Amino acid sequence: MPLEKYQYLSNVWRDGIFDNKVVFCTGGAGSICSAQVRALVHLGANACIIGRNVEKTENMAKDIATARNGAKVIGIGAVDVRNPEALTAAAERCVRELGSIDFVIAGAAGNFLAPMDQISANAMKSVIDIDVLGSWNTVKATLPALLESAKKHRTDGKTEPPNGTGGRIIFVSATLHYTGTPMQSHVSVAKAGVDAMAMAVAIEQGPKGINSNVIAPGPIADTEGVARLSKEDGRDRSMKGVPSGRYGTVKEIADATVYLFSDAGNYVNGEVLVVDGGQWHTSSLG
Ligand code: HXC
């Protein structure tokens, strides 16, 4: 087979695949999201990361910027995803200073380990508000810029793929709600809502060029999620029944992110990409 038949491969497996792209990421100072953004920046993107803690967010932005010479990474702290006005202001600043928003990672989340009878109405509301409403607010705040980005890459043909990638969203979810997980009723409900939202966005905004997908990480080493699940009840149940026999790494979540935002993910829309070593097929965390 002549090599040129495979020329399209070079759109994915090459340096600088995300040159001139801008990623907007909530929860961007966290262990998983910072790795996702770092990979995109390494491959050419500039980034705006959003967080509640100013110092943590600004320091992480500086650190991520070292992934590539000349990278621009803005850390916008003191933004709670429960505040739609603050998110809109952050999105506007991102477009003003970096020129566009091509990719969005909705990664901000809240979690703690507690049985239902010890979760107050306000605790339940806090998690739903951060995970569900926060993801919704993130989409609403960034959608105008994402649609602009998608428009640049639309082609007219019925089978012609987009001319470059843009207008893409990844929601960071979980697998807790596939099987029912003790002490995680609040997060399970919230993440089911996040998954539903990703699909609704894909169906509704897909015709305008938006790709909306979910990454559902399993137990990922050195993350706040695993630390909370293991620390709070003194036993590490988070790795129970993982067929791959080990924790995942943040790099493996970053790799899945590169896939979905690259040309390799052009025709993937409304999907959940589970990256959990096969865990959810075998058991809940209980
Ligand atoms: C029961 C708790 C609690 C606990 C807090 N609350 N911790 N209830 N058990 N361990 C209650 C509080 O008492 C309060 O209810 C309500 O929750 C809100 O708490 P605040 O601290 O006032 O609110 P806030 O600052 O908004 O905190 C939100 C939070 C917190 C979700 C409660 O944990 C948080 O900010 N987390 C962000 C970071 C995080 O969790 N990252 C991990 C994501 S990992 P009352 O009734 O007293 O007012 C993840 C992946 C999951 O999501 C999958 C893992 C495999």
Side-chain angles (χ1 to χ4, degrees):
M1 192 70 70
L3 185 63
E4 57 269 22
K5 287 267 185 199
Y6 292 106
Q7 220 44 51
Y8 66 91
L9 286 174
S10 67
N11 288 338
V12 178
W13 306 114
R14 63 172 171 77
D15 286 339
I17 48 172
F18 298 126
D19 281 353
N20 303 313
K21 305 294 179 192
V22 175
V23 56
F24 181 95
C25 176
T26 66
S31 29
I32 285 183
C33 292
S34 61
Q36 292 176 288
V37 175
R38 197 184 300 274
L40 300 171
V41 168
H42 176 71
L43 291 168
N46 291 321
C48 188
I49 64 167
I50 310 301
R52 271 198 285 177
N53 182 308
V54 177
E55 198 184 347
K56 193 176 165 197
T57 307
E58 289 181 352
N59 286 342
M60 184 58 82
K62 282 187 198 132
D63 192 59
I64 293 172
T66 63
R68 176 174 53 81
N69 276 341
K72 289 185 202 157
V73 182
I74 303 171
I76 308 183
V79 176
D80 192 317
V81 290
R82 291 170 282 193
N83 180 341
E85 290 80 20
L87 265 177
T88 299
E92 286 171 358
R93 180 174 162 200
C94 183
V95 173
R96 201 166 52 245
E97 295 187 20
L98 299 179
S100 63
I101 296 175
D102 303 286
F103 306 133
V104 167
I105 298 171
N111 196 6
F112 51 80
L113 210 56
M116 286 183 76
D117 56 358
Q118 285 171 35
I119 299 174
S120 69
N122 187 46
M124 183 74 184
K125 182 178 182 311
S126 298
V127 171
I128 299 281
D129 280 356
I130 295 170
D131 290 19
V132 181
L133 205 58
S135 298
W136 172 257
N137 289 338
T138 302
V139 173
K140 286 291 291 288
T142 56
L143 194 56
L146 280 172
L147 287 168
E148 277 299 310
S149 174
K151 207 159 50 175
K152 283 186 230 160
H153 303 296
R154 294 301 302 278
T155 50
D156 291 331
K158 284 199 169 128
T159 59
E160 189 74 16
N163 173 24
T165 73
R168 299 201 177 177
I169 307 169
I170 291 173
F171 296 85
V172 182
S173 186
T175 58
L176 305 163
H177 49 300
Y178 301 169
T179 52
T181 305
M183 311 232 255
Q184 289 284 273
S185 61
H186 44 319
V187 185
S188 300
V189 169
K191 294 300 192 183
V194 170
D195 290 0
M197 192 184 317
M199 274 145 235
V201 172
I203 299 304
E204 191 181 291
Q205 301 295 322
K208 296 179 207 157
I210 300 293
N211 280 30
S212 162
N213 292 292
V214 171
I215 290 177
I220 306 298
D222 303 321
T223 59
E224 193 167 348
V226 161
R228 279 174 183 248
L229 292 190
S230 48
K231 194 174 63 183
E232 290 184 25
D233 76 344
R235 290 190 295 145
D236 189 351
R237 299 186 300 176
S238 57
M239 226 194 74
K240 187 182 167 202
V242 178
S244 294
R246 64 173 175 85
Y247 285 103
T249 65
V250 290
K251 180 183 175 298
E252 285 163 326
I253 305 302
D255 288 343
T257 304
V258 171
Y259 161 63
L260 286 174
F261 283 161
S262 75
D263 276 322
N266 279 351
Y267 207 46
V268 182
N269 206 357
E271 282 302 321
V272 178
L273 177 53
V274 179
V275 185
D276 75 338
Q279 184 189 43
W280 87 268
H281 294 295
T282 65
S283 69
S284 77
L285 301 183

